[in-house]
Amino acid sequence: MNDRPPAGPGAGTEAGTTTTPRRRGRPPRTESADTRDRILTTARDEFSERGYEKTSVRGIAKAAGVDPALVHHYFGTKEQVFEAAITQSFAPAMEAPRAIEEGPLDGVGERLVRFFFGIWENPATRTPLLAIVRSAVTNETAAAVFRRIVATQVLRRIAGRLDLPDAELRAELAAAQLVGTAVLRYVIKVEPLASADPEQIIARLAPVVQGHLTAP
């Protein structure tokens, strides 16, 4: 006759001990925030390394150590993940409109150019920006996301502070001057621009950007 007690909760454990039930439902808010941040940071790294075309939600999830469903839960589609990653990476540039407010309008060109190249010259902020530009150049979906963020978060805010005729066009021309220079210097690395002293670039670009923004 088998006197062994029937299996039940706690079976297989030593006497006097209890098993810890697996937590169900949503994780605590702090844990959710940490997971979301880890996914977003991983996505930024994946887009930076592989570009938009070769990056997948599954690949992001694998690199972040989570299920792909969790990536969709927090961000949605691949395009939406990319937009979130761009917004995070582009955060320093969102302060550009303040360069217009901090001082007289006749010096806005130099302030804006100096601010812009301060971001690009910093390796910590340059790396994610390179990923954004490379993806936007090679993929139309990525380009559309980039245009939308730049237009709504930066250019329109700058235009709103100019209080001049054709303010949006002025802001776009100034941005084209800056972004074009950044692409040639940091992405394509055309010499001698790629190795020129930043102060020399700022000195030459500032009057041009000033003209776009404030000239009659």
Side-chain angles (χ1 to χ4, degrees):
M1 180 176 180
N2 187 354
D3 294 328
R4 181 178 298 173
T13 62
E14 296 181 3
T17 64
T18 58
T19 58
T20 301
R22 186 170 63 182
R23 184 172 59 206
R24 295 183 178 181
R26 294 184 178 180
R29 184 174 297 179
T30 54
E31 184 177 322
S32 297
D34 290 344
T35 302
R36 187 183 187 280
D37 289 344
R38 185 170 77 254
I39 292 171
L40 190 57
T41 300
T42 302
R44 188 183 67 183
D45 293 342
E46 290 289 299
F47 284 120
S48 177
E49 181 180 345
R50 304 175 186 277
Y52 185 86
E53 290 283 359
K54 295 182 179 179
T55 300
S56 66
V57 169
R58 185 176 296 276
I60 292 169
K62 182 178 180 181
V66 300
D67 190 276
L70 202 56
V71 180
H72 289 298
H73 169 73
Y74 284 120
F75 300 103
T77 64
K78 172 181 168 180
E79 180 180 340
Q80 290 170 316
V81 178
F82 182 72
E83 183 164 356
I86 282 184
T87 301
Q88 183 192 59
S89 302
F90 213 65
M94 302 299 186
E95 300 299 317
R98 292 189 180 184
I100 289 183
E101 295 178 326
E102 297 173 353
L105 198 59
D106 60 5
V108 65
E110 181 177 350
R111 293 198 303 275
L112 192 56
V113 173
R114 189 171 295 280
F115 170 84
F116 181 83
F117 281 97
I119 295 173
W120 277 97
E121 286 296 311
N122 183 346
T125 48
R126 180 172 65 239
T127 299
L129 286 175
L130 283 172
I132 293 171
V133 173
R134 286 169 179 155
S135 294
V137 168
T138 58
N139 181 272
E140 178 53 35
T141 300
V145 173
F146 180 64
R147 283 195 301 269
R148 182 166 65 248
I149 290 177
V150 171
T152 59
Q153 299 296 328
V154 179
L155 296 182
R156 287 177 187 171
R157 289 173 58 196
I158 290 176
R161 287 164 168 75
L162 291 177
D163 194 26
L164 291 168
D166 301 318
E168 287 193 14
L169 177 59
R170 291 170 179 269
E172 289 177 1
L173 287 171
Q177 195 78 49
L178 294 172
V179 173
T181 303
V183 170
L184 290 175
R185 176 174 170 85
Y186 302 104
V187 181
I188 304 176
K189 297 182 179 179
V190 174
E191 293 291 357
L193 178 61
S195 56
D197 184 273
E199 288 298 323
Q200 182 182 6
I201 298 173
I202 291 170
R204 290 187 175 277
L205 275 184
V208 179
V209 171
Q210 182 75 43
H212 285 317
L213 293 174
T214 63

